[in-house]
Amino acid sequence: MLKKVLIVGVLLFSLFPAAVSAGSFGKGDPPGNPGEWYIGTAPSNGSDANHPILFVHGLNSSSYTWWDENDMYDTALVNGFETAFIDLYPTRDMWENGALLAEKLQEVYTYFGEKVVVVAHSKGGIDVQSALVHYGAAPYVEKVITLSTPHHGSQLADLAYSSWAGWLAGILGSKNDATYSLQTGYMAYFRNDTDPIAGDIPFFTLGGTKRGGFGSSLFWGGLYLSSYGANDGAVTVVSSRLPYGTEISAGAWNHYSIKQGSSTFSMFSHLLTESTDGMQASIKSVPAREKELAVQQSPKYGYILKGGQSHGEQTETFYVEESAEELLVDWISDKKITQLHLLDPDKNKYTAFSVEEDETDYLNGAYHHRLLIEKPAAGKWTISAATEKTQHYLLQAAIDSPLDDKLNVGLSKGKFSVGTIDKGKKTTVTVKTVKYQHNHQQTQAEQNLGRHSTYSVPDLGEGVYNLTFDVFGESGGAKYQRTIVKSIYVDDTGKMYP
């Protein structure tokens, strides 16, 4: 039975009761109305020792995610647990969702007459913590279990706001308040503002290590995130952890399968009863897990990014070095391109691009035109894409090469240090800085560092600074290039959060 529940004061009203089977309940009701929450069918094998579970969805999602093509609701019901499901704003930040969720958590607590265990997917875990810490909802929650929550942000959000990808992300609607708040710099600020007052409600985390295969919707995200470690195609394992939380597992799930009941419910079901309140799951030491996961995620890729808006034929060039083992070219556009070809340094033409539509949170609706080349020739490559309509595009050339471990960007005392292969006169670095405040672009600047390897962040006031470093140089007599995207948050006192 489905119950959509509204609470006014202490009065309970059950609306739209419907006799439907577990796993499909809610179909026929209006989904995604922020603030509405639903009570699942009462289990026939329930126990007073079982805590009710409130399921919270993530970015660009709704309560449907827990039962539509997902057996999580079925699994919880069969195992004797009362359940509730809530709709939050799919594209708003943790502050608005946290305030809304805090109000509704009190209602859910009143309905059940006891504290609930919250199970949250992806950004939903951040919304939950915001509700508990910043909006006073802690008295209504027993513990929190997060499934692939980017507690430290996502480098994919950084990419969406970068100077190269911003054209495409903007036209696709991916530059929203939620994505803005998930930039790693902003999340560093949120962690600094939240962790010291996090309270004593236990957090348990799960992270995924199975990024998507070549033709999957999570392939692009997993490939980009490979530079940052083990990931599930959308969130890195490192980001899924909290320093004061208990990691239940980091296993072979992708960003979608980790929320499937048959995949993970058994991993945390022992935490849902009164007999286990206060217990901590036993896990391996983090250093040991990091080493283990690093092996699983080999190889590490470096990237060349180009992007913008064009009409007619658009041509981009890039350089691949002698030591490259693999080149994967991905022309990502808001249009499906039929006239697309790639030329290598010897003028060999490649046209056998595979085409997949993006279903991720960051470039949803875009078309990926991909081509994989083993042992690519060193030198200048050229790609051309023609369309009769205006297109917004992002070129991502991913390179597996020994150079990738040597190219890096670090921040210290307000200055970025760019590590390059050859610091001689043939190496140049260009930095594009885009500054945002409250998801609104305020200014953009570009600086050519020449042979210098440090960059001082300009004083542009409070907000998120998205920086794109384009590195050009030579290694072993062959030209190379890379793009590195970073994000920092600067507060109203000038303090930086990388």
Side-chain angles (χ1 to χ4, degrees):
M1 176 179 289
L2 160 67
K3 293 182 182 179
K4 180 164 61 180
V5 182
L6 303 174
I7 298 183
V8 180
V10 294
L11 299 178
L12 301 180
F13 300 90
S14 295
L15 303 179
F16 303 107
V20 292
S21 63
S24 62
F25 95 106
K27 293 181 179 179
D29 284 340
N33 297 319
E36 289 187 348
W37 52 280
Y38 306 82
I39 298 296
T41 300
S44 59
N45 57 338
S47 167
D48 289 340
N50 292 346
H51 289 296
I53 310 170
L54 174 65
F55 290 95
V56 179
H57 65 79
L59 177 65
N60 290 324
S61 188
S62 74
S63 56
Y64 268 33
T65 196
W66 299 108
W67 66 81
D68 188 23
E69 299 183 359
N70 186 354
D71 59 358
M72 181 63 84
Y73 168 54
D74 277 326
T75 305
L77 178 63
V78 168
N79 281 274
F81 290 92
E82 295 179 285
T83 54
F85 306 82
I86 189 167
D87 282 307
L88 300 178
Y89 296 106
T91 59
R92 297 192 185 178
D93 63 26
M94 71 284 284
W95 307 112
E96 288 197 61
N97 274 349
L100 176 62
L101 181 57
E103 176 188 341
K104 300 305 172 180
L105 273 167
Q106 184 175 9
E107 295 178 4
V108 175
Y109 170 82
T110 300
Y111 180 88
F112 285 116
E114 62 177 301
K115 294 181 179 181
V116 299
V117 173
V118 179
V119 175
H121 178 240
S122 196
K123 178 181 172 289
I126 300 169
D127 295 334
V128 171
Q129 191 171 35
S130 179
L132 301 184
V133 177
H134 299 289
Y135 295 99
Y140 317 120
V141 174
E142 185 65 43
K143 64 189 72 166
V144 179
I145 298 164
T146 64
L147 312 176
S148 194
T149 288
H151 291 291
H152 304 276
S154 174
Q155 290 82 7
L156 292 176
D158 295 347
L159 178 61
Y161 277 83
S162 69
S163 60
W164 288 130
W167 288 91
L168 179 58
I171 201 70
L172 294 172
S174 300
K175 294 169 73 173
N176 52 56
D177 290 345
T179 306
Y180 172 82
S181 70
L182 289 177
Q183 292 178 87
T184 56
Y186 193 88
M187 281 304 300
Y189 163 73
F190 178 77
R191 295 261 62 89
N192 181 80
D193 201 40
T194 302
D195 292 349
I197 55 172
D200 56 2
I201 293 181
F203 269 72
F204 299 86
T205 67
L206 283 90
T209 64
K210 189 177 181 181
R211 66 182 198 234
F214 188 79
S216 75
S217 61
L218 291 170
F219 175 79
W220 164 75
L223 184 73
Y224 186 80
L225 291 176
S226 68
S227 291
Y228 304 94
N231 68 84
D232 66 358
V235 176
T236 64
V237 170
V238 172
S239 188
S240 74
R241 293 170 172 152
L242 277 171
Y244 44 84
T246 299
E247 184 180 61
I248 300 172
S249 179
W253 305 290
N254 66 35
H255 197 63
Y256 302 143
S257 66
I258 200 169
K259 65 181 176 181
Q260 294 283 332
S262 53
S263 295
T264 56
F265 187 84
S266 63
M267 302 296 296
F268 58 80
S269 59
H270 62 290
L271 299 171
L272 302 176
T273 63
E274 293 179 1
S275 62
T276 57
D277 289 351
M279 74 171 291
Q280 297 291 304
S282 60
I283 58 171
K284 299 178 184 179
S285 67
V286 171
R289 295 198 63 82
E290 293 286 13
K291 184 176 181 181
E292 170 190 329
L293 293 168
V295 173
Q296 294 177 6
Q297 285 300 102
S298 182
K300 175 182 177 181
Y301 289 85
Y303 302 94
I304 302 168
L305 303 174
K306 300 283 189 71
Q309 173 183 296
S310 70
H311 187 87
E313 185 173 11
Q314 178 65 30
T315 299
E316 295 285 0
T317 62
F318 58 91
Y319 287 90
V320 176
E321 65 271 17
E322 189 76 41
S323 58
E325 295 291 328
E326 183 179 270
L327 168 66
L328 193 148
V329 177
D330 193 352
W331 185 274
I332 313 170
S333 173
D334 60 336
K335 305 288 190 302
K336 186 180 291 187
I337 308 299
T338 57
Q339 300 179 57
L340 185 66
H341 65 266
L342 177 70
L343 291 178
D344 71 11
D346 299 320
K347 304 304 179 183
N348 296 308
K349 182 183 287 190
Y350 301 83
T351 58
F353 287 83
S354 66
V355 182
E356 294 90 25
E357 187 171 358
D358 193 293
E359 298 177 356
T360 65
D361 292 327
Y362 298 99
L363 293 179
N364 190 279
Y367 292 93
H368 292 267
H369 308 78
R370 299 188 181 118
L371 195 150
L372 177 64
I373 299 169
E374 302 287 350
K375 300 292 183 181
K380 183 179 179 180
W381 290 69
T382 304
I383 185 169
S384 297
T387 176
E388 295 179 356
K389 298 180 180 180
T390 299
Q391 68 162 321
H392 299 79
Y393 70 94
L394 171 66
L395 165 64
Q396 174 182 286
I399 302 174
D400 174 17
S401 167
L403 297 188
D404 298 328
D405 289 325
K406 301 176 182 178
L407 289 162
N408 57 78
V409 174
L411 177 65
S412 177
K413 298 181 180 179
K415 292 185 178 182
F416 280 96
S417 176
V418 184
T420 60
I421 305 303
D422 181 359
K423 297 184 181 298
K425 62 182 180 180
K426 294 182 179 179
T427 298
T428 62
V429 180
T430 301
V431 186
K432 299 182 183 71
T433 302
V434 186
K435 188 252 180 172
Y436 296 85
Q437 187 172 25
H438 306 302
N439 198 27
H440 298 294
Q441 182 175 329
Q442 293 189 319
T443 186
Q444 183 168 339
E446 182 174 334
Q447 183 177 343
N448 192 326
L449 303 186
R451 288 177 289 161
H452 302 288
S453 60
T454 59
Y455 174 68
S456 297
V457 179
D459 183 6
L460 301 174
E462 180 183 3
V464 174
Y465 292 61
N466 192 289
L467 303 103
T468 301
F469 296 82
D470 288 309
V471 182
F472 299 83
E474 287 190 13
S475 176
K479 293 182 179 179
Y480 72 88
Q481 67 183 104
R482 289 293 190 277
T483 305
I484 302 171
V485 178
K486 293 290 184 180
S487 167
I488 63 170
Y489 183 80
V490 178
D491 67 16
D492 56 1
T493 69
K495 183 178 178 180
M496 295 183 181
Y497 300 86

